[in-house]
């Protein structure tokens, strides 16, 4: 069964450094999403992306964050200058269409900021 | 999106059916009910979804009451690997809403 893949599985970065999290969505999917989960807390929506532009973003997704689909298969989340509070699991998801179809999630990247 | 209420935890014996309830009394006509689960900080795994009819797939069954104010996820023969946090999510389809809003879910523990 096709799945969303994320790399790396664990990323350790110094505070203030830039980090790029990578995702390969399911191949025929058109909608892409990033969520995060701080340890012990709820899964939180960050951003959705369709047709090469952001379609919805949360308050968490400030100017430090950006997303890109650099080619036909990858979808990336960049954090420009990481803070300690950015430490979390980051999940990528994709869906075939937006209405009436589920989002499928990858297994996440654990981001640790030192 | 309508708010959902789930019990914080439930137990189930291995091999028995697990019935997980969800209350969504403020649901509106264009909102689907989605169920996901999360096994120990892995990514949320899609289980099933429905609008108003009962649904069944290879993983589970979803029973939605006629007034749509509540639903039950049924795992017919629970195994130890079904131990997870189960999330019931109600989502407006269409418009400018793209996100899934996760609550705290129900921690289902399947016991041997």
């Amino acid at each position: 069964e096709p799945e969303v893949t994320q790399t790396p599985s664990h990323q350790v970065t110094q505070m203030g450094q830039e980090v790029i999290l990578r995702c390969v969505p399911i191949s025929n999917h058109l909608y892409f999403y990033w969520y995060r989960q701080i340890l012990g807390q709820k899964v939180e929506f960050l951003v959705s992306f369709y047709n090469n532009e952001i379609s919805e973003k949360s308050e968490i997704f400030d100017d430090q964050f950006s997303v890109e689909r650099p080619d036909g298969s990858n979808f990336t989340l960049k954090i420009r200058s990481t803070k300690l509070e950015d430490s979390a699991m980051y999940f990528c998801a994709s869906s075939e269409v937006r209405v009436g179809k589920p989002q499928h999630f990858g297994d996440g990247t654990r981001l640790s900021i030192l | 999106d309508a708010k959902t209420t789930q019990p914080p935890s439930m137990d189930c014996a291995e091999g028995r059916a697990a019935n997980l309830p969800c209350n969504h009394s403020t649901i509106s006509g264009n909102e689907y009910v989605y169920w996901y689960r999360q096994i120990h900080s892995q990514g949320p795994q899609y289980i099933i979804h429905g609008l108003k009819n009962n649904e069944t797939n290879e993983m589970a069954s979803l029973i939605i009451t006629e007034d749509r104010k509540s639903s039950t996820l049924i795992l017919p023969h629970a195994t130890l690997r079904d131990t997870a946090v189960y999330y019931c999510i109600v989502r407006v389809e269409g418009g400018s809403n793209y996100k899934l809003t996760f609550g705290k879910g129900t921690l289902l523990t399947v016991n041997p």
Side-chain angles (χ1 to χ4, degrees):
Chain A
E1 187 175 321
E3 57 183 28
V4 176
T5 56
Q6 291 187 244
T7 55
S9 57
H10 191 190
Q11 174 82 45
V12 181
T13 301
Q14 292 288 331
M15 186 172 60
Q17 295 296 305
E18 174 183 286
V19 66
I20 297 175
L21 309 182
R22 303 181 192 279
C23 168
V24 179
I26 294 172
S27 63
N28 65 332
H29 286 190
L30 300 176
Y31 293 82
F32 314 112
Y33 314 84
W34 284 101
Y35 292 77
R36 80 172 185 190
Q37 186 175 31
I38 295 171
L39 186 63
Q41 298 188 23
K42 301 177 191 177
V43 176
E44 303 173 285
F45 169 80
L46 292 178
V47 66
S48 61
F49 190 84
Y50 168 70
N51 201 25
N52 279 321
E53 58 184 33
I54 290 172
S55 40
E56 186 182 8
K57 60 183 181 179
S58 71
E59 292 178 355
I60 303 167
F61 194 87
D62 62 21
D63 291 343
Q64 293 297 314
F65 291 87
S66 62
V67 288
E68 190 179 32
R69 187 153 164 82
D71 53 44
S73 59
N74 290 284
F75 179 51
T76 62
L77 174 69
K78 182 193 290 186
I79 309 175
R80 267 182 262 285
S81 178
T82 50
K83 308 184 195 65
L84 294 176
E85 54 265 37
D86 294 328
S87 294
M89 284 290 292
Y90 287 81
F91 298 111
C92 174
S94 67
S95 64
E96 186 179 349
V97 293
R98 191 162 66 87
V99 177
K101 291 283 189 179
Q103 296 175 22
H104 293 275
F105 287 74
D107 273 339
T109 292
R110 179 174 300 282
L111 178 62
S112 300
I113 308 300
L114 304 180
Chain B
D1 296 332
K3 183 176 163 56
T4 62
T5 304
Q6 298 178 254
S9 64
M10 293 183 64
D11 286 313
C12 177
E14 189 177 18
R16 304 298 294 267
N19 296 281
L20 292 95
C22 180
N23 182 286
H24 32 79
S25 58
T26 60
I27 195 169
S28 60
N30 63 343
E31 290 184 304
Y32 280 74
V33 180
Y34 285 84
W35 283 85
Y36 283 79
R37 72 181 183 183
Q38 189 174 27
I39 299 172
H40 189 56
S41 293
Q42 293 178 20
Q45 179 188 21
Y46 166 73
I47 302 173
I48 200 166
H49 74 288
L51 182 60
K52 49 187 173 182
N53 297 322
N54 297 338
E55 302 287 344
T56 295
N57 63 21
E58 65 278 3
M59 288 183 70
S61 294
L62 173 61
I63 308 298
I64 303 174
T65 58
E66 197 169 334
D67 63 8
R68 301 185 70 238
K69 293 185 177 183
S70 66
S71 60
T72 302
L73 178 74
I74 301 172
L75 307 178
H77 306 286
T79 71
L80 299 179
R81 290 165 59 177
D82 292 321
T83 292
V85 178
Y86 287 76
Y87 300 101
C88 168
I89 299 169
V90 170
R91 191 178 87 131
V92 172
E93 300 292 307
S96 60
N97 179 43
Y98 291 74
K99 62 181 180 289
L100 292 169
T101 301
F102 288 80
K104 295 183 179 179
T106 296
L107 173 60
L108 174 69
T109 303
V110 180
N111 299 303

